[in-house]
Amino acid sequence: MKSYFTKSLFLTGFILLFSFNSVSASTDIEGSYAKDAILELVEKGIISGDANGDFNVTGKITRQDFASVLAKSLELDSSNSSVTATFSDVPVDHYSYAYVEAAVKAGLISGTGEGNFGFNTNLTREDMATIFVKALGADAVGYGDKLTSADQDRILEWKRDSEAYAV
């Protein structure tokens, strides 16, 4: 994986998870430690804010929006989306459809079961960590024993290694 893609992936994730207050796009990044990274990601077309230009990065991110950021960051081929949807809950005409399909095809993200992707549900921190580990091709086996977060007892066993690796 090229270093630009790795940088974009991690910058995007950390910006979305740990950044600043949401205000108008013209002022919400002023004074933020992440300003330069945000501007770079905007310039590269990876993130753009919402319809009002707000980034709302201290808020939640939906699974489909994260799949879009992931696919754009890694330059996954989103032009060859299947006409037949992989998931029954992702509309074929939704802006995220091709990106969801590309991320699934790359083996980076999966559904929530019963043929659903989890459309319009928020991505959890553990899911994001698991996706990062997959995207990096990292071997996180055994890292779960090092996990010291206050909520570690609520993290699913199969996600613990990825969570600890990401930390």
Side-chain angles (χ1 to χ4, degrees), residues 62-72 76-82 85-92 94-112 115-120:
T62 62
R63 291 174 53 80
Q64 72 270 11
D65 285 342
F66 188 76
S68 296
V69 169
L70 180 69
K72 290 176 185 178
L76 300 178
D77 183 5
S78 60
S79 65
N80 292 325
S81 297
S82 173
T86 302
F87 303 105
S88 61
D89 61 341
V90 180
V92 177
H94 192 269
Y95 69 86
S96 66
Y97 174 79
Y99 300 116
V100 168
E101 293 289 330
V104 168
K105 183 177 180 181
L108 301 176
I109 195 167
S110 58
T112 58
N116 292 313
F117 177 71
F119 190 78
N120 280 337

Side-chain angles (χ1 to χ4, degrees), residues 85-158:
T86 302
F87 303 105
S88 61
D89 61 341
V90 180
V92 177
D93 60 350
H94 192 269
Y95 69 86
S96 66
Y97 174 79
Y99 300 116
V100 168
E101 293 289 330
V104 168
K105 183 177 180 181
L108 301 176
I109 195 167
S110 58
T112 58
E114 299 180 11
N116 292 313
F117 177 71
F119 190 78
N120 280 337
T121 61
N122 294 324
L123 188 74
T124 66
R125 183 185 75 221
E126 305 88 67
D127 287 339
M128 188 178 292
T130 301
I131 294 165
F132 281 156
V133 168
K134 285 181 184 178
L136 292 172
D139 180 8
V141 174
Y143 276 80
D145 296 338
K146 302 172 187 175
L147 196 59
T148 60
S149 60
D151 64 348
Q152 66 182 349
D153 58 326
R154 290 180 280 181
I155 298 171
L156 294 174
E157 188 66 35
W158 68 275

Side-chain angles (χ1 to χ4, degrees), residues 3 7 11 24-25 27 29 31 35 47 57 85-86 89 109 120 135 145 150 153 159 165:
S3 65
K7 177 182 173 186
L11 285 175
S24 153
T27 62
I29 61 175
K35 179 180 178 179
I47 60 174
V57 294
T86 302
D89 61 341
I109 195 167
N120 280 337
D145 296 338
D153 58 326
K159 294 181 181 181
Y165 185 91

